[in-house]
């Protein structure tokens, strides 16, 4: 309780100090706030001042001459504020900073035409050079190495692009450029701000997340990609983790996660609590919940496509930061005018020193594992050593070969390691050692070429490696001494080639066609040996490979974003099963009233690699799943899924109401996956079904935004030999999921607050236990845990170290589960032997308690 009180004081004190400073009265002289003074002048003289808030902030004038002639007023303002005031045509006056202007040959500010707010991260491209810069947090950009004959192309996701001819501008003049949110034909963006800044809806039904534009998200100190997308309806994590994403009832292994074209088989740090991708190097993330583009294959649930920055900067940019779990650094460096190098790295801190955040994370992760079960025994008799760490490294090289060719190379290395030992103090009477290492690394190469204004292609290649290694050794020197050893390895080698050709037929229609080849090699080895009871040994291993050939074609039609159609088909051939599969996709949207659209989609997808649970090393309690290739046999059926969606969306500048009704039907479902593990004896094949509704209601009140996100999803399975042939709920079914979020942005301060409610997950009661330990359950998952409640809070503040806003900083705080609510995430039954026979024991997994986190960052733009 004391810890929570201290953090609440940490939040309140800055606000009280700010309020006190604002309330102070300077009795020595009367000073007028420049911004208020300009508003008064506008009212009297019918003129319009245009400026960035950063330019007029903390500026004052000492006399009121607002009733004087406009030229006299401007003369007074120049002397007292040291700013530049230029009258353009009619009565339009631009206010800029002399120092800011003089540093560049050409410069400007980019603003939202309606909100009159600066646009950060807008792309300003020099057409001749095919390179450019991005606007900073105040909308500012500047150039030195360009000529009067150059043309600037200004674009930003969610806004209409604009072309600027420098010959029409004057040197040393900093212009203001306004971008409109109106939609152009064939432009992808439909809603600029779907939930908050940095979350945008697309005409193909996907949602794009831009981490650099995100405002505060409740419970987060950093813009973690996986935790952010859980604020979208239809996406949640029953495990209360970052990376275990369930999209419309589909489990995490059914999602396709791509990082610069690399397929991710391990997308987590700290057993799912942290995503392994540095958000400060990511340009955007595209998420599909339904109606997925034909470009994407080998999955049956959602798609998370992550693309890192590829723009070549005009100067060195970077940053460094730390929170209470890890630190990171990144650098974006131009090498000449045509090459840019982006480098980033992150590493855990908790193997150096422990923090309250890590202690809470580890308590949640290690509960009901060997590590958690041994913890109460640590003391005078036993001791342990827990060495846990992670790191990720990413490098990207962008080469602008010509004005029509761009070549990019990416390298990613993600590693997690755990070394745990438990033994009697100062003796080898009882010694156990567990070693776990998981890595996912890969390289990708992509070439974009424009044949003409209407035809372009993208050729990409990738090579990805996944390795999971677990080793256990136990030595027991009491009674009759014996030892045990266990080993589990799982590897994947994934190599691919993808060719995509985009052809624009006219202003309304376009074709996308392509071919993808995937060569997947996969193997596993599980063995155990012990000397107890005369010893025994087993070794289960296998390795396979599959060549997957896919052809796809899509036709798109967009009539002023009022009629939108994406009609496509993908054909997949699997060499392992020697079978072809047809995968049609469709997404349609039609406006039938102003701002009100009806939308529908259909997709049929297949997955040729899946994740199963194994019980041979389950006594460790961590990472008990492993990957297998599907050969379409009875034991390893190819997973297939069909999804139907019908919905409506109303959108305006300040309001969004979005509702989707959907149904998912799956075949080739195995009983040894996350939704069923622990309930069913043996391996069974069956079907799955999810029926759901996703609802989003968002309202904007200037800088304050509030939205309600509700999902209803009923997820059931049916196995003919199980539960009397009757359907039963998935282990991780969350029928109702409600989030109410509030975001407020005041100048450089961001505040976010959210309340989460979920239906408890189902569980089974064991009716009896047979002599061999087999559980007898009359009705599977007929009981449900209590409902889940949680309240989260986040706040961040940005500041600058210099007047040119080159060096900036950010401090932030997050509070997860403010009221320390104890939620049961899921319940399972554990088989125990009491010395005479087997019996069932209930094991609950408890949610994360009250968890604070803080972050501090320094970055240069």
């Amino acid at each position: 309780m004391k810890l929570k009180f201290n953090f609440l004081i940490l939040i309140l004190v800055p606000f009280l100090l700010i309020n006190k400073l604002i309330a102070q009265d300077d009795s020595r002289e009367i000073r007028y706030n420049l911004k208020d003074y300009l508003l008064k002048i506008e009212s009297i003289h019918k003129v319009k001042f245009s400026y960035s808030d950063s330019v007029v902030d903390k500026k004052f004038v000492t006399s009121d001459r607002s009733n004087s002639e406009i030229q006299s007023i401007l003369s007074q303002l120049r002397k007292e504020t040291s700013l530049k005031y230029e009258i353009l045509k009619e009565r339009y006056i631009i206010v800029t900073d002399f120092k800011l202007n003089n540093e560049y040959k050409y410069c400007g500010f980019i603003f939202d035409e309606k909100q009159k707010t600066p646009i950060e991260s807008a792309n300003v491209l020099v057409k001749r050079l095919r390179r450019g810069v991005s606007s900073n947090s105040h909308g500012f950009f500047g150039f030195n190495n360009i000529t009067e004959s150059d043309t600037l192309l200004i674009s930003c996701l969610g806004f209409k692009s604009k072309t600027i001819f420098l010959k029409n501008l004057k040197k040393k003049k900093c212009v203001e450029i306004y971008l409109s949110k109106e939609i152009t034909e064939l432009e992808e963006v439909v809603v600029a701000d779907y939930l908050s800044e940095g979350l945008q809806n697309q005409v193909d039904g996907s949602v794009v997340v831009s981490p650099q534009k995100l405002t505060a998200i409740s419970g987060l100190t950093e813009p973690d990609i996986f935790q952010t997308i859980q604020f979208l309806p239809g996406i949640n994590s029953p495990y209360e983790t970052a990376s275990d994403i369930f999209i419309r009832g589909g489990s995490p292994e059914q999602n396709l996660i791509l990082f610069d074209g690399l397929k991710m088989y391990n997308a987590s740090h700290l057993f799912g609590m942290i995503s392994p991708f540095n958000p400060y190097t990511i340009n955007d993330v595209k998420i599909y919940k339904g109606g997925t583009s034909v470009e994407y294959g080998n999955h049956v649930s959602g798609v998370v496509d992550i693309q890192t920055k590829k723009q070549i900067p005009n100067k060195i940019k970077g940053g460094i930061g730390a929170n209470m779990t890890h630190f990171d650094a990144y650098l974006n460096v131009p090498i000449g005018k045509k090459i840019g190098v982006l480098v980033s790295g992150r590493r855990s801190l908790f193997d150096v020193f422990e923090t309250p955040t890590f202690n809470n994370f580890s308590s949640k992760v290690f509960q009901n594992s060997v590590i958690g079960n041994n913890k109460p025994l640590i003391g005078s008799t036993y001791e342990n050593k827990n060495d846990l760490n992670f790191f990720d490294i990413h490098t990207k090289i962008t080469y602008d070969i010509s004005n029509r060719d761009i070549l990019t190379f990416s390298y990613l290395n993600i590693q997690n390691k755990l070394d745990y030992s438990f033994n009697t103090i100062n003796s080898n009477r009882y010694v156990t050692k567990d070693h776990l290492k998981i890595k996912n690394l890969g390289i990708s190469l992509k070439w974009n070429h424009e044949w003409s204004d209407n035809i372009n292609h993208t050729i990409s290649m990738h090579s990805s490696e996944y390795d999971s290694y677990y080793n256990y050794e136990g030595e027991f020197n009491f009674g009759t001494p014996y030892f045990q050893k266990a080993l589990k390895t799982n590897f994947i080698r994934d190599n691919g080639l993808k060719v995509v050709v985009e052809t624009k037929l006219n202003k309304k229609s376009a074709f996308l066609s392509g071919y993808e080849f995937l060569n997947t090699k996969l193997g596993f080895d599980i063995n155990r040996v012990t000397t107890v009871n005369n010893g025994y040994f087993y070794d289960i291993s296998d390795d396979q490979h599959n060549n997957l050939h896919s052809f796809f074609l899509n036709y798109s039609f967009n009539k002023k974003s009022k009629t939108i159609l994406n009609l496509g088909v993908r054909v997949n051939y699997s060499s392992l099963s020697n079978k072809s599969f047809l995968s049609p996709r469709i997404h349609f949207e039609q406006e039938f009233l102003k701002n009100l659209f009806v939308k529908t989609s259909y997709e049929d997808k297949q997955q040729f690699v899946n994740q199963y649970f194994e019980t041979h090393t389950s006594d460790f309690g961590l990472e008990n799943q492993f990957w297998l290739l599907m050969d379409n046999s009875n034991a390893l059926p190819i997973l297939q899924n069909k999804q139907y969606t019908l919905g409506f969306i109303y959108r305006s500048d300040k309001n969004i109401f979005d509702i989707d009704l959907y149904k998912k039907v799956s075949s080739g479902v195995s009983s040894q996956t996350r939704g069923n593990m622990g309930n069913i004896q043996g391996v069974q094949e069956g079907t799955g079904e999810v029926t759901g509704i996703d609802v989003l209601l968002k309202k904007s009140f200037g800088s304050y935004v509030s939205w309600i996100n509700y999902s209803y999803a009923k997820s059931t399975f049916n196995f003919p030999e199980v539960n009397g042939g009757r359907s039963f709920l998935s282990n991780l079914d969350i029928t109702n999921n409600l989030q109410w979020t509030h975001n407020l942005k005041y100048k450089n301060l961001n505040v976010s607050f959210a309340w989460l409610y979920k239906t408890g997950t189902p569980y089974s009661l064991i009716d009896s236990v047979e002599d061999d330990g087999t559980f007898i359950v009359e009705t599977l998952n007929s009981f449900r845990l209590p409902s889940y409640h949680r309240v989260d809070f986040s706040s961040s503040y940005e500041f600058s170290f210099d007047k040119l806003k080159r060096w900036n900083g950010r401090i932030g705080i997050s509070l997860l589960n403010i009221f320390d609510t104890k939620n049961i995430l899921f319940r399972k039954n554990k088989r125990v032997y009491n010395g005479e026979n087997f019996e069932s024991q209930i094991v609950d997994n408890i949610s994360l308690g009250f968890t604070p986190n803080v972050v501090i960052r320094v970055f240069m733009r």
Side-chain angles (χ1 to χ4, degrees):
M1 186 67 188
K2 184 178 179 181
L3 181 62
K4 288 188 284 184
F5 177 76
N6 290 338
F7 272 96
L8 289 174
I9 291 297
L10 182 62
I11 299 169
L12 293 173
V13 167
F15 287 102
L16 294 175
L17 289 175
I18 292 171
N19 186 60
K20 182 175 178 62
L21 288 173
I22 293 173
Q24 287 179 343
D25 178 28
D26 187 351
S27 60
R28 290 171 297 179
E29 63 176 1
I30 297 175
R31 298 198 306 168
Y32 301 93
N33 180 281
L34 177 58
K35 191 171 183 179
D36 295 336
Y37 189 55
L38 295 180
L39 290 173
K40 185 176 182 180
I41 297 170
E42 287 181 339
S43 176
I44 295 173
H45 295 276
K46 307 304 179 184
V47 296
K48 176 64 179 175
F49 288 95
S50 180
Y51 50 81
S52 168
D53 285 340
S54 62
V55 173
V56 301
D57 189 34
K58 297 181 181 178
K59 295 283 186 181
F60 301 89
V61 293
T62 58
S63 58
D64 183 358
R65 301 183 185 175
S66 56
N67 290 314
S68 303
E69 293 293 329
I70 192 66
Q71 290 294 350
S72 175
I73 296 172
L74 296 182
S75 178
Q76 170 218 4
L77 291 173
R78 292 186 186 104
K79 291 178 182 179
E80 294 196 33
T81 65
S82 299
L83 296 178
K84 191 174 183 179
Y85 298 83
E86 296 180 84
I87 301 179
L88 298 185
K89 62 180 181 179
E90 298 177 348
R91 308 289 282 178
Y92 198 83
I93 303 170
I94 292 181
V95 184
T96 56
D97 192 317
F98 276 107
K99 293 180 181 179
L100 206 58
N101 295 351
N102 292 334
E103 187 180 327
Y104 297 97
K105 186 176 180 180
Y106 294 97
C107 61
F109 289 90
I110 304 175
F111 293 95
D112 183 323
E113 186 176 64
K114 278 195 173 182
Q115 302 294 331
K116 301 297 185 287
T117 54
I119 299 176
E120 183 180 2
S121 299
N123 298 316
V124 186
L125 182 71
V126 181
K127 190 174 182 180
R128 174 178 58 87
L129 300 176
R130 294 290 295 176
R131 62 187 295 268
V133 298
S134 295
S135 58
N136 65 17
S137 60
H138 303 287
F140 176 79
F141 71 91
F143 285 102
N144 274 324
N145 57 344
I146 58 177
T147 66
E148 187 178 298
S149 61
D150 276 322
T151 301
L152 302 183
L153 301 177
I154 301 172
S155 63
C156 184
L157 198 61
F159 293 88
K160 185 177 180 180
S161 299
K162 184 167 286 189
T163 301
I164 302 293
F165 300 98
L166 291 183
K167 64 182 179 181
N168 296 333
L169 305 179
K170 295 180 181 179
K171 295 180 183 179
K172 301 292 185 183
K173 178 168 286 191
C174 218
V175 299
E176 295 208 353
I177 299 165
Y178 288 86
L179 299 185
S180 168
K181 288 186 180 179
E182 293 178 2
I183 307 303
T184 57
E185 293 182 356
L186 286 180
E187 187 171 324
E188 288 192 351
V189 178
V190 174
V191 180
D193 296 333
Y194 187 57
L195 294 183
S196 66
E197 288 184 39
L199 280 163
Q200 299 157 336
N201 208 7
Q202 306 282 295
V203 297
D204 61 358
S206 65
V207 175
V208 168
V209 180
S210 302
Q212 310 308 310
K213 299 178 183 179
L214 284 173
T215 54
I217 298 293
S218 60
L220 305 182
T221 55
E222 310 274 18
D224 187 290
I225 293 302
F226 290 144
Q227 289 177 319
T228 299
I229 66 177
Q230 290 181 39
F231 282 84
L232 297 172
I235 303 179
N236 69 80
S237 175
Y239 295 111
E240 203 181 55
T241 59
S243 59
D244 290 316
I245 301 298
F246 285 67
I247 300 179
R248 287 183 171 174
S251 51
E253 70 274 5
Q254 296 175 1
N255 297 324
L256 177 64
I257 299 176
L258 299 173
F259 183 88
D260 278 349
L262 292 168
K263 181 172 181 179
M264 294 289 100
Y265 292 94
N266 173 52
S268 72
H269 284 316
L270 192 56
F271 303 100
M273 299 304 295
I274 303 168
S275 70
F277 311 116
N278 189 335
Y280 300 101
T281 65
I282 294 173
N283 188 59
D284 57 57
V285 183
K286 179 174 279 193
I287 300 107
Y288 284 94
K289 295 185 292 181
T292 312
S293 170
V294 294
E295 285 187 72
Y296 304 100
N298 202 8
H299 73 286
V300 294
S301 191
V303 173
V304 181
D305 188 358
I306 303 168
Q307 295 292 329
T308 57
K309 297 178 180 179
K310 68 176 182 179
Q311 187 179 40
I312 300 173
N314 65 332
K315 54 188 174 183
I316 296 176
K317 299 182 178 182
I320 185 169
N323 59 29
M324 296 176 75
T325 59
H326 63 274
F327 73 92
D328 75 274
Y330 69 96
L331 204 60
N332 199 357
V333 182
I335 301 177
K337 297 180 179 180
K338 290 184 172 293
I339 298 177
V341 179
L342 176 64
V343 181
S344 75
R346 300 191 302 170
R347 194 191 187 283
S348 56
L349 290 173
F350 34 78
D351 55 335
V352 180
F353 60 88
E354 293 185 0
T355 64
T357 307
F358 168 70
N359 288 335
N360 283 12
F361 280 2
S362 61
S363 294
K364 176 184 176 299
V365 167
F366 295 139
Q367 63 180 310
N368 301 320
S369 70
V370 166
I371 298 173
N373 294 335
N374 285 344
K375 191 174 181 180
L377 304 176
I378 306 300
S380 58
T381 305
Y382 294 95
E383 63 181 359
N384 73 340
K385 183 180 179 181
N386 189 352
D387 183 11
L388 172 66
N389 63 77
F390 67 77
F391 72 84
D392 55 74
I393 298 172
H394 171 236
T395 301
K396 185 169 188 176
I397 301 173
T398 302
Y399 177 28
D400 275 353
I401 302 173
S402 70
N403 62 353
R404 289 190 178 273
D405 296 270
I406 299 177
L407 190 68
T408 57
F409 167 85
S410 283
Y411 166 79
L412 180 67
N413 187 344
I414 299 170
Q415 296 206 26
N416 293 264
K417 187 175 75 170
L418 170 64
D419 284 309
Y420 176 75
S421 62
F422 179 78
N423 56 272
T424 47
I425 297 174
N426 299 324
S427 77
N428 63 349
R429 186 171 183 269
Y430 187 102
V431 180
T432 63
K433 296 179 180 179
D434 294 274
H435 173 72
L436 175 65
K437 185 175 182 179
I438 303 172
K439 67 176 183 179
N440 202 152
L441 58 88
I443 58 174
S444 65
L445 185 67
K446 182 184 290 186
W447 171 37
N448 298 94
H449 175 71
E450 294 181 6
W451 292 97
S452 68
D453 291 339
N454 295 325
I455 302 176
N456 68 82
H457 80 235
T458 301
I459 299 176
S460 58
M461 296 178 288
H462 79 267
S463 179
S464 179
E465 296 182 5
Y466 165 82
D467 287 278
S468 175
Y469 174 88
Y470 169 67
N471 181 62
Y472 161 77
E473 294 181 1
E475 183 180 351
F476 311 96
N477 296 301
F478 53 88
T480 303
Y482 69 99
F483 73 89
Q484 288 188 14
K485 288 185 178 181
L487 175 71
K488 179 177 71 175
T489 64
N490 190 201
F491 76 86
I492 301 174
R493 302 293 180 262
D494 193 287
N495 300 289
L497 168 70
K498 189 174 183 179
V499 180
V500 181
V501 179
E502 295 181 79
T503 305
K504 182 179 176 182
L505 302 178
N506 51 51
K507 291 183 178 181
K508 300 177 183 178
S509 304
F511 272 109
L512 181 145
S513 58
Y515 165 75
E516 183 176 17
F517 169 74
L518 285 175
N519 172 260
T520 304
K521 296 181 180 180
L522 188 151
F524 69 91
D525 186 7
I526 302 172
N527 66 65
R528 197 176 191 105
V529 60
T530 180
T531 60
V532 70
N533 296 329
N534 297 320
Y536 65 89
F537 171 82
Y538 63 78
D539 190 349
I540 306 169
S541 63
D542 194 12
D543 62 84
Q544 294 178 309
H545 78 274
N546 182 46
N547 291 327
L548 184 63
H549 301 269
S550 302
F551 298 88
F552 51 88
L553 177 66
N554 186 82
Y555 169 75
S556 62
F557 176 83
N558 185 347
K559 184 179 180 182
K560 298 182 178 180
S561 293
K562 297 181 182 296
T563 302
I564 299 165
L565 173 67
N566 283 283
L567 182 63
V569 64
R570 183 182 179 100
V571 180
N572 302 306
Y573 169 76
S574 168
S575 65
L576 187 60
S577 64
N578 192 26
K579 190 174 180 180
S580 296
F581 300 85
L582 191 65
S583 180
R585 319 272 176 90
I586 184 172
H587 175 82
F588 175 72
E589 219 172 289
Q590 176 64 53
E591 183 181 42
F592 65 96
L593 292 174
K594 186 178 180 181
N595 297 330
L596 184 61
F597 293 76
V598 62
K599 53 182 178 175
T600 186
S601 67
Y602 168 77
E603 60 184 22
D604 189 344
K605 299 188 287 191
Q606 302 85 34
Q607 185 168 327
F608 304 91
V609 60
N610 203 358
Q611 201 173 57
Y612 281 46
F613 271 78
E614 56 84 22
T615 59
H616 300 280
T617 61
S618 61
D619 47 356
F620 180 49
L622 294 168
E623 296 295 329
N624 298 320
Q625 63 272 14
F626 67 116
W627 291 96
L628 287 173
L629 272 171
M630 305 294 99
D631 59 11
N632 215 29
S633 64
N634 290 332
L636 299 172
I638 289 173
L639 189 58
Q640 301 186 65
N641 178 272
K642 297 179 181 180
Q643 182 176 180
Y644 312 83
T645 305
L646 175 65
F648 299 87
I649 183 169
Y650 171 84
R651 46 185 172 243
S652 65
D653 288 342
K654 296 184 178 182
N655 303 289
I656 293 177
F657 177 72
D658 192 357
I659 182 169
D660 274 338
L661 294 84
Y662 65 89
K663 185 171 185 177
K664 298 172 69 173
V665 180
S666 301
S667 61
V669 176
S670 171
S671 61
Q672 297 300 302
T673 55
R674 298 196 191 204
N676 306 297
M677 187 59 194
N679 279 340
I680 302 171
Q681 303 295 326
V683 180
Q684 302 285 337
E685 180 186 352
T687 59
E689 186 174 297
V690 183
T691 303
I693 303 172
D694 292 340
V695 180
L696 171 71
L697 178 61
K698 172 199 166 185
K699 177 69 176 178
S700 299
F701 304 89
S703 58
Y704 165 68
V705 179
S706 178
W707 71 84
I708 295 175
N709 156 14
Y710 170 74
S711 296
Y712 168 87
K714 186 178 181 181
S715 176
T716 61
F717 292 111
N718 184 278
F719 297 96
E721 305 298 323
V722 175
N723 204 45
R726 302 183 305 273
S727 296
F728 60 93
L729 293 172
S730 160
N731 281 6
L732 300 172
D733 172 84
I734 297 179
T735 308
N736 298 285
N737 189 330
L738 176 67
Q739 296 177 338
W740 189 10
T741 306
H742 308 266
N743 276 12
L744 175 65
K745 184 175 183 179
Y746 177 71
K747 295 185 178 179
N748 294 335
L749 178 68
N750 288 282
V751 178
S752 184
F753 176 86
W755 172 63
L756 292 80
Y757 165 85
K758 300 178 185 179
T759 303
T761 55
Y763 68 95
S764 302
L765 283 181
I766 305 301
D767 295 300
S768 62
V769 183
E770 296 188 346
D771 293 340
D772 62 356
T774 301
F775 290 154
I776 304 300
V777 181
E778 184 175 335
T779 305
L780 289 172
N781 288 345
S782 56
F783 297 86
R784 194 176 285 276
L785 293 171
S787 298
Y788 175 104
H789 298 267
R790 195 178 86 203
V791 176
D792 299 332
F793 171 85
S794 285
S795 181
S796 66
Y797 180 78
E798 289 196 10
F799 53 92
S800 298
F801 295 101
D802 63 317
K803 293 183 178 180
L804 298 180
K805 315 296 182 183
R806 172 71 169 148
W807 287 92
N808 301 273
R810 180 188 298 131
I811 55 174
I813 184 171
S814 70
L815 303 176
L816 279 169
N817 197 359
I818 292 176
F819 299 109
D820 200 22
T821 307
K822 184 179 179 180
N823 297 296
I824 303 175
L825 297 178
F826 56 93
R827 174 173 290 173
K828 62 181 180 179
N829 296 288
K830 182 180 180 181
R831 184 182 296 104
V832 296
Y833 188 70
N834 61 14
E836 297 182 358
N837 49 47
F838 287 100
E839 59 184 26
S840 171
Q841 184 181 84
I842 292 176
V843 178
D844 287 338
N845 268 59
I846 307 301
S847 66
L848 199 65
F850 170 72
T851 303
N853 201 353
V854 294
V855 64
I856 181 168
R857 301 198 61 79
V858 176
F859 47 94
M860 56 181 176
R861 289 172 170 162

